[in-house]
Amino acid sequence: MKICKWKKRIGLDLSECNNTHNHNHHHHQKLLKRNTRREEKRRKRKGSGSSMILLQSHSRFLLQTLLNRLQNIEKGVELDHHWVEFDDVRYHIQVSMKNPNIFLLSVSLPTPSSETIFVCGLPFGAIEAIKAAYGSLVQILDPPRDGFNLTLKINLSKVPANQEQRQALLVKVASVREVVLGAPLRVILKHLASRNVAPDMDPLVALVHRPKESFFVFPQADKVTVMYPMRFNDSIDIVLATSFLQEFVEARRTAGLNNTPPCSWSHTPPPELKGVSTDALSANAGFVSFVIFPRHVEGPKLDRTVWSLSTFHAYVSYHVKCSEGFMHTRMRRRVESLIQALGRAKPDPESSKKTSHSRSFQRMSLKESRTNSFS
């Protein structure tokens, strides 16, 4: 079963929460468990499960730009675009009118931490991965453009004429992030599929996935353990992520997920990280570990496994932000319903005015009022 089918969807329901500012750990964990049970019952009634949203491996903007360029290559329009995607991966594309078939693509990777080893500004194995993925279509420029780790010279005249082959190749070009950042993990998992460890491989490998942040890989012949120190800047995100990860691990016990990689979460670092610097282990949302076996990287599963592991932190961050947005939406709807209820309870000024006009008052003297009061 492919690893990218992560567990199950976890919803957050704060409609029964009387104090919306009480974001303590126990409260959120109780809500998550309650709604997980509701989701499980809902899935049993429907007879089918729901999966969480997964990040695409290719850049949609880059893919669309490549497709538009090939369709309008005769016009010879100049291109010069910069953009940034998640985890601080920056792109720059440039096409001149003099060479309309030459497409220059520059990529800037997240700043590596002190534990991560880059070779010529790239993760180890990246050059070989690029050549294997793109062949003669792409030429690596050395040195790259200023401020970038990699610059590729793409010859659009070598793109296949066949529509399916062209689409597949362009999607692969748009997945340059996966090819480059996932290269070290791909090397390790390929050797796992052969049930051995890559020669000259360190006992513990640190791989970059966020600016100045790493996750760790402990390779063995029969399994590979992947460990993530989970860090978040916002205090609410820390609480939500901690509850999310605990439920994420619990979901592994469901019947339909027996073949997925074993997953564990703890407040303290796993024993495999003994000796790693304190700064690298400064996690405020605990540590998550996956154990990958050869069956998880067989054939086409390898690409999905590499991408899912490389972007796991971004995957968690995405769903934490979605959960936070869901809670804000529920709270806004609750406030709106309370305002409507208060509006209905407010007396109508027109009806109150009619009531007051229908009454008649008679001015009484002081003597008459005293007489009526004693009568």
Side-chain angles (χ1 to χ4, degrees), residues 38-322:
R38 290 177 183 173
E39 187 68 20
E40 185 69 23
K41 292 179 181 177
R42 194 177 299 117
R43 287 212 306 267
K44 289 180 179 179
R45 288 196 301 268
K46 292 182 178 180
S48 62
S50 61
S51 59
M52 303 186 77
I53 298 174
L54 300 172
L55 302 173
Q56 294 179 329
S57 60
H58 64 270
S59 168
R60 296 181 63 183
F61 181 77
L62 178 54
L63 177 59
Q64 190 61 47
T65 304
L66 287 167
L67 290 172
N68 291 339
R69 184 64 187 178
L70 286 173
Q71 293 172 0
N72 304 285
I73 199 167
E74 308 85 17
K75 297 181 180 179
V77 179
E78 287 190 353
L79 294 179
D80 193 349
H81 297 313
H82 292 261
W83 75 96
V84 182
E85 295 189 355
F86 63 93
D87 290 340
D88 198 32
V89 175
R90 296 186 294 114
Y91 296 86
H92 177 216
I93 55 176
Q94 195 171 21
V95 180
S96 65
M97 295 181 64
K98 295 181 179 179
N99 297 308
N101 287 317
I102 302 301
F103 191 100
L104 293 180
L105 170 62
S106 299
V107 182
S108 175
L109 305 177
T111 305
S113 61
S114 58
E115 298 83 18
T116 308
I117 299 176
F118 271 23
V119 180
C120 299
L122 295 172
F124 70 87
I127 300 295
E128 293 77 8
I130 293 170
K131 293 179 179 178
Y134 306 126
S136 61
L137 176 70
V138 166
Q139 177 186 352
I140 303 173
L141 298 186
D142 189 19
R145 294 288 181 91
D146 290 340
F148 293 90
N149 299 83
L150 174 69
T151 298
L152 300 178
K153 182 179 179 181
I154 305 171
N155 191 343
L156 298 180
S157 62
K158 295 184 178 181
V159 175
N162 181 276
Q163 190 66 28
E164 292 183 1
Q165 293 178 356
R166 170 181 292 192
Q167 181 70 19
L169 184 57
L170 293 182
V171 169
K172 195 67 176 178
V173 172
S175 304
V176 61
R177 171 203 182 104
E178 176 193 11
V179 173
V180 175
L181 283 178
L185 187 58
R186 185 182 301 274
V187 171
I188 295 172
L189 295 182
K190 275 186 176 180
H191 282 83
L192 173 64
S194 303
R195 288 172 171 77
N196 57 50
V197 179
D200 302 326
M201 183 68 64
D202 293 335
L204 186 66
V205 182
L207 303 179
V208 64
H209 65 147
R210 289 164 53 83
K212 296 184 178 180
E213 292 185 16
S214 301
F215 67 99
F216 298 89
V217 180
F218 183 66
Q220 295 173 279
D222 58 341
K223 64 180 180 179
V224 170
T225 306
V226 186
M227 296 154 285
Y228 301 86
M230 303 301 292
R231 304 180 184 89
F232 295 88
N233 295 326
D234 187 79
S235 59
I236 296 177
D237 289 353
I238 295 172
V239 174
L240 291 177
T242 302
S243 299
F244 177 92
L245 292 170
Q246 289 175 341
E247 286 299 312
F248 188 88
V249 174
E250 288 296 322
R252 171 64 175 76
R253 301 177 181 178
T254 58
L257 300 173
N258 292 331
N259 293 327
T260 58
C263 176
S264 61
W265 176 91
S266 64
H267 281 293
T268 58
E272 293 88 351
L273 296 181
K274 184 178 180 180
V276 179
S277 65
T278 306
D279 293 338
L281 301 180
S282 58
N284 51 25
F287 296 81
V288 179
S289 300
F290 292 99
V291 181
I292 311 299
F293 292 103
R295 68 175 183 271
H296 299 129
V297 293
E298 295 173 348
K301 295 180 182 179
L302 177 62
D303 289 340
R304 296 193 295 265
T305 303
V306 169
W307 175 248
S308 298
L309 292 174
S310 300
T311 58
F312 177 71
H313 194 289
Y315 164 86
V316 175
S317 299
Y318 177 82
H319 284 89
V320 165
K321 291 300 182 183
C322 288

Side-chain angles (χ1 to χ4, degrees), residues 4-53:
C4 63
K5 286 188 176 179
W6 294 117
K7 318 310 179 189
K8 57 185 176 179
R9 181 173 173 269
I10 299 173
L12 296 176
D13 187 355
L14 291 187
S15 60
E16 299 178 6
C17 180
N18 295 325
N19 184 3
T20 59
H21 298 286
N22 185 19
H23 295 287
N24 58 77
H25 174 76
H26 176 71
H27 178 67
H28 284 290
Q29 188 174 12
K30 183 169 65 176
L31 287 172
L32 281 165
K33 289 182 178 179
R34 180 190 308 161
N35 285 276
T36 301
R37 290 192 295 268
R38 290 177 183 173
E39 187 68 20
E40 185 69 23
K41 292 179 181 177
R42 194 177 299 117
R43 287 212 306 267
K44 289 180 179 179
R45 288 196 301 268
K46 292 182 178 180
S48 62
S50 61
S51 59
M52 303 186 77
I53 298 174

